[in-house]
Amino acid sequence: MPVSHLNRSSPVWLFDLDNTLHNASHAIFPTITANMNTYIARVLGDGVTPADDAIVNAARAAYWRRYGATLLGMVKHHQVQAAHFLHETHTFDDLRAMIRAERGLGALLKRLPGRKILLTNAPLRYSSDVMRHLGLRQHFSQHIAIEAMHVHRQLRPKPSTLMLRKLMRKHHIRPGRCILVEDTLANLKGAKKLGLRTAWITQYLKMADPIGVAKLPKALNRPAYVDVKVKSVRHLARRLHRLR
């Protein structure tokens, strides 16, 4: 059923996946980072010898800071094919064994009124596999992965406000009805500018940014653009009054 068919008073939840619905920091993110480093080293090398670690780390960090995603920098500056980059960096020997999540997630999601949409910067194949292993697919009316985040034929993943505006228009949703549930502050900040409600999930955070450059501060203070800060999805229902 399209999102526009929802009761107009019910919220529309936009859920992130990694480090929001499961603990990607445990094993998945380290593997993605290693795969990404190998890929970037190959691209930035001379065709025979891969680029060294310092060059790779500097490029990964610079592109993430400038564009919000290392992938966008690799596409723009090195003519990398986005689909190839995503496939190579999200390849795992045994994904199921790497997944860690709290029990009863399905029941927790059912307690939240309104429709849920998965909105993830991860590729479709990987995010579909994670959702299948978690047993959560039936709780989401839509699954929007990074491949679907295009605006004017340009890839615009989170934290792109252009992409969020397009999503709102396409499904005739008022921003004030939407609640973005995320671990990444940059994504929440952009959403808040558009008038969305914001919920920050903190229990799986190990670094202050997705690429592992900045360490977490000892005190995870709630920024003004975050309506609700909770450790876990488990606590969203009891904070619902702050999100409506």
Side-chain angles (χ1 to χ4, degrees):
M1 181 184 296
V3 175
S4 56
H5 289 182
L6 280 170
N7 183 308
R8 292 186 179 276
S9 65
S10 62
V12 179
W13 299 83
L14 305 178
F15 272 89
D16 178 47
L17 175 62
D18 294 329
N19 272 3
T20 298
L21 293 175
H22 72 110
N23 184 0
S25 291
H26 167 69
I28 292 174
F29 273 179
T31 301
I32 292 174
T33 298
N35 290 344
M36 193 179 294
N37 286 350
T38 298
Y39 191 101
I40 296 171
R42 188 167 66 243
V43 171
L44 299 187
D46 59 13
V48 177
T49 305
D52 64 33
D53 290 346
I55 292 174
V56 169
N57 289 330
R60 194 179 80 249
Y63 292 154
W64 182 80
R65 291 192 182 102
R66 182 172 179 181
Y67 300 109
T70 300
L71 165 63
L72 298 186
M74 296 301 294
V75 170
K76 184 176 179 65
H77 297 286
H78 305 284
Q79 293 71 56
V80 163
Q81 294 296 314
H84 187 253
F85 180 92
L86 291 168
H87 179 270
E88 293 294 305
T89 56
H90 289 76
T91 297
F92 310 91
D93 292 333
D94 187 357
L95 180 61
R96 178 188 287 274
M98 301 167 76
I99 293 175
R100 296 290 186 277
E102 57 190 324
R103 294 183 178 180
L105 272 178
L108 297 175
L109 292 171
K110 287 182 71 173
R111 293 172 59 194
L112 301 175
R115 196 170 298 275
K116 289 89 180 174
I117 298 172
L118 189 72
L119 186 69
T120 173
N121 278 2
L124 182 61
R125 179 178 61 93
Y126 157 78
S127 53
S128 295
D129 286 345
V130 173
M131 292 295 282
R132 176 168 51 84
H133 291 317
L134 291 173
L136 297 180
R137 291 191 298 185
Q138 69 270 26
H139 298 287
F140 289 82
S141 63
Q142 287 181 282
H143 179 161
I144 302 173
I146 192 170
E147 293 94 334
M149 297 180 183
H150 284 85
V151 181
H152 305 308
R153 298 184 180 181
Q154 298 293 317
L155 191 62
R156 292 287 184 265
K158 295 180 290 184
S160 171
T161 53
L162 290 175
M163 180 272 294
L164 285 175
R165 281 197 183 99
K166 181 179 178 181
L167 175 66
M168 301 293 108
R169 288 195 303 268
K170 180 178 180 180
H171 299 291
H172 308 289
I173 308 170
R174 288 183 296 101
R177 282 182 58 209
C178 280
I179 303 167
L180 180 63
V181 184
E182 268 274 358
D183 67 294
T184 302
L185 286 175
N187 298 341
L188 294 168
K189 187 175 184 179
K192 191 63 177 178
K193 289 179 181 177
L194 295 183
L196 280 73
R197 298 291 185 175
T198 53
W200 186 26
I201 305 296
T202 63
Q203 71 174 334
Y204 301 130
L205 291 177
K206 288 189 176 180
M207 302 295 285
D209 60 84
I211 59 170
V213 173
K215 292 184 178 180
L216 280 176
K218 290 183 179 180
L220 290 176
N221 297 321
R222 179 177 67 85
Y225 52 84
V226 170
D227 293 304
V228 165
K229 171 194 164 189
V230 291
K231 182 177 180 181
S232 161
V233 171
R234 183 177 302 277
H235 305 299
L236 286 175
R238 71 182 68 165
R239 306 295 295 279
L240 190 57
H241 63 285
R242 295 280 303 275
L243 292 167
R244 303 184 84 168

